[in-house]
Amino acid sequence: MTPERRIPERRSRKARRTRDTLAQAAFELVLDRGLRNVTVEEIAEAADVDRRTFSRYFPSKEAAALDSLRGDGDRINAALRARPAPEPPLLAYRRAVLDWLADPVAEAWHRRPRIFELLVVAEEEPTLYAVFHHIRVDAQEDSIAIVADRLGVDPRQDIRPAVTVAAGAGALLAAQAAWVRGGRPDALPERVVEAFDALAETVGAAESAEAAQAARATEATEAAAETEASP
């Protein structure tokens, strides 16, 4: 490797370290003191940089505090890409989430120190929750592209990938909310299975009801035809 190539790589590593240091400082200060009792200047000082440097990496203290959650969407999407092609999309999404939860290297939310606390605070602080919502939306956009690729369709023309991801991500969000409100930091995998099972039951019940309705309509049509044919 030439010296010219090493310089950009060193700069990139330094920038990554600076970003991570700022994010960790924001994470700890927000959890230790509360979101409203922390300023951007204090986060920058804790990371040994100035306010201008902070602003190069993050638009707000909320974005910095939640930065560690961005990688989780990437990990779920990586697991989704790796699921076998024959799997139905919603089942693939469910199993991708379960793969993420089970992977000790990925360190899902229930395995990482203080993430449970962070999500409790996010439930209570509207500005923090709004940033968390944007992080989820960004991950879901990538999920839609992955599902569209699995189906071989254009997501701009075919609504199925967006519907699939909305359903799966909605189940994950419901599980996360139940987990946070339940007060058991180790219970996330249970809540996720419960949420996806509830989704499957709802979809199954809807399909059964639709099939029953169609059968009744067919029977009524046949009965009417028989009546007309009778002398």
Side-chain angles (χ1 to χ4, degrees):
M1 183 182 296
T2 65
E4 290 79 5
R5 291 185 61 185
R6 291 195 195 100
I7 292 173
E9 289 185 4
R10 285 199 298 270
R11 288 174 179 167
S12 177
R13 289 196 298 270
K14 182 179 179 182
R16 182 72 252 181
R17 286 196 299 270
T18 300
R19 183 186 181 93
D20 290 347
T21 301
L22 282 164
Q24 187 63 28
F27 177 87
E28 293 175 356
L29 286 171
V30 165
L31 291 182
D32 290 344
R33 292 162 49 181
L35 180 67
R36 301 180 191 186
N37 298 318
V38 176
T39 66
V40 167
E41 288 78 10
E42 288 168 333
I43 295 169
E45 182 179 355
D48 198 26
V49 299
D50 57 23
R51 168 64 187 262
R52 182 179 297 179
T53 299
F54 177 93
S55 298
R56 285 206 299 267
Y57 292 95
F58 298 108
S60 66
K61 61 184 178 181
E62 290 87 352
L66 291 170
D67 190 61
S68 65
L69 299 183
R70 285 194 174 276
D72 296 301
D74 295 337
R75 294 179 188 101
I76 291 172
N77 282 330
L80 180 58
R81 286 188 190 93
R83 295 304 309 169
E87 278 185 347
L90 187 55
L91 179 60
Y93 191 95
R94 170 186 176 136
R95 289 179 174 169
V97 172
L98 294 178
D99 289 345
W100 165 65
L101 290 170
D103 185 356
V105 177
E107 290 193 318
W109 295 338
H110 64 301
R111 297 176 185 272
R112 293 213 301 275
R114 307 195 77 181
I115 292 296
F116 182 82
E117 295 176 56
L118 181 64
L119 292 175
V120 168
V121 175
E123 288 278 333
E124 299 169 349
E125 292 287 353
T127 58
L128 204 59
Y129 192 84
V131 172
F132 184 42
H133 171 73
H134 284 298
I135 290 172
R136 292 200 313 269
V137 168
D138 288 344
Q140 288 167 32
E141 289 295 326
D142 290 340
S143 299
I144 290 170
I146 296 167
V147 171
D149 185 62
R150 291 173 67 90
L151 294 174
V153 300
D154 182 348
R156 296 169 297 181
Q157 305 295 328
D158 192 316
I159 200 172
R160 288 177 296 166
V163 171
T164 298
V165 173
L172 179 57
L173 177 61
Q176 175 246 311
W179 173 55
V180 167
R181 293 165 189 163
R184 288 180 52 211
D186 63 337
L188 180 60
E190 298 171 34
R191 298 287 79 81
V192 166
V193 170
E194 181 181 0
F196 276 97
D197 283 351
L199 176 60
E201 289 171 9
T202 301
V203 171
E207 289 176 347
S208 297
E210 184 178 349
Q213 184 177 8
R216 286 194 296 269
T218 300
E219 291 166 2
T221 301
E222 291 173 351
E226 290 175 3
T227 300
E228 292 177 0
S230 299

